[in-house]
Amino acid sequence: MPACTLRIAEPKDIDSLARLHVAIWRDTYHELAPPEAFAALDVPRRKSFWQDKFAHPAAGQGIFIAEVDGELAGFSLASASSNPEFGEMAEIKFLYVSPVFKRQGIGRLLIAKAAAHLAEEGFKSAGLGVVEGNASAIGFYSALGGREAGRYTDAGPLWRSPNIIYAWPDITVLSALNS
């Protein structure tokens, strides 16, 4: 694994987060999302999203960045869930790693950091939504002990995607991945 540093994201990271978010999203969902979603997703839209996350954080929110040699390699966003399907579980809303840095342990570092943060915030369990058909993510979360705990349709704003909830009833399983 390359020398990777994790840190808490700051508002100065918004432009970089927006660019990487769009690039990874397009790479990940190129065979799953409809063309209208690709047409609607751009850096200004994601910049607005990240500005809102910093200005109006959700309960227990943590945004973490992974860097390799000063280059943004990935990010995670976790907080209390706003999706009723998650019940009392916290939600890891985003866990994205640049294709350049995939399969190097960075996703594992990011999910462990997000889970440790959520545990510090008092959450006992965590889950995340995975778009049906995203085989690499499903394999990754299954390998980390995540189990299917339900399904829901994401309300958008770009695309009403069918999602599978992967859950960890004991959040310490995830937070201990890097100990």
Side-chain angles (χ1 to χ4, degrees):
M1 182 173 71
C4 178
T5 57
L6 294 181
R7 66 177 175 83
I8 296 170
E10 302 173 39
K12 69 179 175 105
D13 298 311
I14 288 172
D15 288 335
S16 298
L17 279 167
R19 283 191 302 276
L20 186 61
H21 195 165
V22 169
I24 295 171
W25 192 93
R26 287 182 173 163
D27 180 69
T28 301
Y29 300 112
H30 69 275
E31 293 183 7
L32 298 171
E36 309 81 57
F38 279 87
L41 182 69
D42 59 15
V43 173
R45 185 179 192 124
R46 277 298 170 215
K47 183 175 178 177
S48 176
F49 168 86
W50 286 108
Q51 287 169 329
D52 184 63
K53 288 298 173 194
F54 282 99
H56 306 101
Q61 178 175 291
I63 304 171
F64 304 98
I65 287 178
E67 293 175 317
V68 174
D69 296 326
E71 182 179 349
L72 184 59
F75 61 89
S76 63
L77 166 64
S79 69
S81 181
S82 58
N83 291 322
E85 296 85 1
F86 282 76
E88 296 296 314
M89 287 187 289
E91 184 177 1
I92 298 169
K93 296 176 183 290
F94 294 113
L95 178 65
Y96 283 2
V97 176
S98 167
V100 174
F101 296 104
K102 278 191 174 180
R103 303 196 183 283
Q104 297 180 32
I106 294 170
R108 185 182 185 99
L109 290 172
L110 283 165
I111 200 169
K113 182 69 171 173
H117 168 78
L118 292 169
E120 288 171 10
E121 292 291 319
F123 293 99
K124 305 291 184 216
S125 59
L128 50 78
V130 181
V131 174
E132 287 181 15
N134 187 347
S136 64
I138 290 168
F140 176 70
Y141 298 130
S142 294
L144 295 181
R147 297 292 172 250
E148 188 174 330
R151 292 176 180 257
Y152 69 102
T153 299
D154 191 322
L158 297 174
W159 155 48
R160 295 184 51 76
S161 61
N163 284 258
I164 305 166
I165 297 172
Y166 276 80
W168 292 264
D170 180 359
I171 203 167
T172 62
V173 169
L174 279 177
S175 59
L177 285 173
N178 295 313
S179 9

